[in-house]
Amino acid sequence: MYEILETKERITADNDAEAAKLRAMLKEKKVFFINVMGSPGSGKTTALTHIINALKDQYRIGVMEADVDSSVDAETISKLGVRVIQLHSGGLCHMDADMTARGLAGLGLDGLDVVFMENIGNLVCPAEFDVGAALQMMILSVPEGDDKPLKYPLMFTVSNVMLINKIDVAPVFDFDIERCRTYVRRLNPEMEFFPVSALKGEGLEAFEAWLINRIETWRKQA
Amino acid sequence: MYEILETKERITADNDAEAAKLRAMLKEKKVFFINVMGSPGSGKTTALTHIINALKDQYRIGVMEADVDSSVDAETISKLGVRVIQLHSGGLCHMDADMTARGLAGLGLDGLDVVFMENIGNLVCPAEFDVGAALQMMILSVPEGDDKPLKYPLMFTVSNVMLINKIDVAPVFDFDIERCRTYVRRLNPEMEFFPVSALKGEGLEAFEAWLINRIETWRKQA
């Protein structure tokens, strides 16, 4: 079961200030918050399903599914036995810090270690709004093309880690992983890459090990 | 060769009024204007290449390539020997009527019969802005999934015609064309569908015949 929350945009003075407040609050509560971004159909929900199954014995997990409309993703995730809330953006193409704060309040942070937010499917708008996350994760899928860092540079600049998903169909789509990596490195030399097939579960173990290490490092910091 | 125009957003009182003015002006000049929308990587540029090649002996064609950044698409289209301009949205996720009007002025309408605008790759924002087009065309590609009409209903509501692209990989992605069509029909009973593979050129002849018929009907109307 999951709740549906209408998190329409309010006019807020300063998204960055709101995000900083949120980040401090999450740090104090020791909740590691991951903002998951990517195009419609890039495989966010499928990847999350695998990742949640891999982490849920070790961490208490909450998930916010943000969508313009519908609750199909919350439906899918709720079957994993973790705490889930569906957020509706009221037509908006992104979540901002204020909407995220209301989503986190609706989800409830007590008793949680890790929270994922699946942002609206979009390579443009979500990149523009800091939502207070400890980790910015993005998914680019092979059928979208290896030139996407050229066209949507901000998303690749603000993310810390990138899954290149659907690598099983890379030959069909003439997607060159090295070319894509080269484009991304020019924008963001620190980006971490994991080529995966979320549907087949390939490559996700390496990402999950990296993520657990990242969470543990974060938790040890004062 | 092509020009690059920075069409950043201006605050305009009323997008719908701007769009209506634009539509009337285009009608008077007898320029059929097509707004092409779809996710990043759905195949907009590849489909346009095929369509332009099929139509360019019959019509004088202009193309506006709208992107957040980069000019890779204008580069591709300029090789077809039609008039092309690259529009940069200044980070914005959509084109509005005012930005479109400035794009059309930059392109120049004299001596043109048909103008395509490849909108920013995005299933959310472009749907919200009437840009004065005579035809709203969208592309959904198979790897995005057949559930997208549930999640991004507005795009499927405001479009007149829909290419379902990359049908050659439908079996790999478990995309059910009939299921997708059923979801769309609930939102928009008038939608026209064309399953195609833009890369392989399959199915586009049927769409091009339909489009020519639509253009001719429009031109005959007073």
Side-chain angles (χ1 to χ4, degrees):
Chain A
M1 270 304 297
Y2 54 89
E3 191 192 341
I4 299 178
L5 194 67
E6 304 290 330
T7 51
K8 295 184 170 65
E9 196 175 35
R10 295 193 298 209
I11 307 300
T12 51
D14 187 341
N15 188 75
D16 287 349
E18 288 271 336
K21 256 171 50 189
L22 207 48
R23 194 174 280 109
M25 182 271 280
L26 287 158
K27 187 83 201 184
E28 204 196 297
K29 287 193 183 281
K30 286 202 167 291
V31 176
F32 190 86
F33 178 36
I34 305 165
N35 181 23
V36 184
M37 299 174 286
S39 285
S42 57
K44 294 184 291 301
T45 313
T46 308
L48 269 183
T49 299
H50 194 283
I51 296 162
I52 290 166
N53 276 327
L55 268 66
K56 71 181 178 185
D57 290 340
Q58 189 167 352
Y59 301 111
R60 295 163 301 173
I61 294 175
V63 180
M64 301 194 288
E65 285 292 334
D67 273 297
V68 173
D69 209 340
S70 99
S71 304
V72 287
D73 291 342
E75 200 93 51
T76 306
I77 297 292
S78 70
K79 291 179 190 139
L80 307 178
V82 294
R83 200 187 300 175
V84 181
I85 189 169
Q86 175 75 49
L87 311 179
H88 283 166
S89 71
L92 263 195
C93 56
H94 63 271
M95 297 295 288
D96 64 18
D98 172 64
M99 294 158 79
T100 302
R102 284 181 285 152
L104 290 168
L107 181 70
L109 294 176
D110 286 347
L112 292 183
D113 303 310
V114 175
V115 170
F116 294 91
M117 175 163 76
E118 186 179 331
N119 214 311
I120 312 283
N122 194 311
L123 268 189
V124 183
C125 322
E128 295 168 24
F129 293 85
D130 186 354
V131 293
L135 184 71
Q136 299 263 86
M137 169 178 165
M138 70 160 292
I139 304 185
L140 177 73
S141 64
V142 157
E144 295 172 68
D146 53 25
D147 62 345
K148 289 302 158 292
L150 301 177
K151 294 174 150 188
Y152 305 94
L154 191 61
M155 180 60 79
F156 296 85
T157 306
V158 302
S159 297
N160 310 117
V161 60
M162 174 176 169
L163 304 190
I164 303 180
N165 192 22
K166 310 188 190 178
I167 47 158
D168 48 314
V169 296
V172 183
F173 285 99
D174 191 25
F175 185 103
D176 185 329
I177 293 180
E178 282 317 307
R179 186 163 51 207
C180 183
R181 213 190 285 253
T182 303
Y183 292 149
V184 174
R185 286 252 187 263
R186 280 183 212 150
L187 298 164
N188 182 354
E190 310 291 313
M191 181 80 95
E192 301 278 351
F193 294 90
F194 292 91
V196 306
S197 166
L199 203 61
K200 305 197 169 173
E202 286 166 18
L204 279 164
E205 295 79 4
F207 168 72
E208 287 149 2
W210 176 89
L211 179 59
I212 289 169
N213 183 52
R214 181 98 178 201
I215 295 169
E216 290 305 309
T217 306
W218 182 87
R219 285 158 71 100
K220 276 177 206 138
Q221 287 159 1
Chain B
M1 271 304 297
Y2 54 89
E3 191 192 340
I4 299 178
L5 195 67
E6 304 290 328
T7 51
K8 296 185 170 65
E9 195 174 37
R10 296 192 298 212
I11 306 302
T12 51
D14 187 341
N15 188 74
D16 287 349
E18 288 273 336
K21 256 170 51 188
L22 206 49
R23 194 174 279 108
M25 183 271 280
L26 288 158
K27 187 83 202 184
E28 204 196 298
K29 288 192 182 281
K30 285 203 168 293
V31 176
F32 190 85
F33 178 35
I34 304 165
N35 182 24
V36 184
M37 300 174 285
S39 284
S42 57
K44 295 184 289 302
T45 312
T46 308
L48 269 182
T49 300
H50 194 283
I51 296 162
I52 289 166
N53 276 327
L55 267 65
K56 71 181 179 187
D57 290 340
Q58 188 167 353
Y59 301 111
R60 296 164 301 174
I61 294 175
V63 180
M64 302 194 287
E65 285 292 335
D67 272 297
V68 173
D69 207 340
S70 100
S71 304
V72 287
D73 292 342
E75 200 93 52
T76 306
I77 297 291
S78 69
K79 291 178 190 141
L80 307 178
V82 295
R83 199 186 299 175
V84 181
I85 190 169
Q86 176 75 50
L87 311 179
H88 282 167
S89 70
L92 264 194
C93 56
H94 63 271
M95 298 295 287
D96 65 18
D98 172 65
M99 295 158 77
T100 302
R102 285 181 284 153
L104 290 168
L107 181 70
L109 294 177
D110 286 348
L112 291 183
D113 303 311
V114 175
V115 170
F116 294 91
M117 176 164 74
E118 185 179 331
N119 214 312
I120 313 282
N122 194 312
L123 268 190
V124 183
C125 321
E128 294 167 25
F129 292 86
D130 186 354
V131 294
L135 184 71
Q136 300 262 84
M137 170 178 163
M138 70 161 292
I139 304 185
L140 177 72
S141 63
V142 157
E144 296 173 67
D146 54 24
D147 61 347
K148 290 301 159 290
L150 300 178
K151 293 176 152 188
Y152 305 96
L154 190 61
M155 179 61 77
F156 296 84
T157 306
V158 301
S159 297
N160 310 117
V161 60
M162 175 175 169
L163 304 189
I164 302 180
N165 192 21
K166 310 186 189 178
I167 48 157
D168 48 315
V169 296
V172 183
F173 285 99
D174 190 26
F175 184 102
D176 185 329
I177 294 180
E178 283 316 307
R179 186 162 51 206
C180 182
R181 212 189 285 253
T182 303
Y183 292 149
V184 173
R185 287 250 187 264
R186 279 182 213 152
L187 298 164
N188 181 355
E190 309 291 314
M191 181 79 96
E192 299 277 351
F193 293 90
F194 292 91
V196 306
S197 167
L199 202 62
K200 307 199 168 173
E202 286 165 19
L204 278 164
E205 296 78 4
F207 169 71
E208 287 149 3
W210 176 88
L211 179 59
I212 290 169
N213 182 54
R214 182 96 178 204
I215 295 169
E216 290 306 309
T217 306
W218 182 87
R219 286 158 70 100
K220 277 179 206 135
Q221 287 159 1

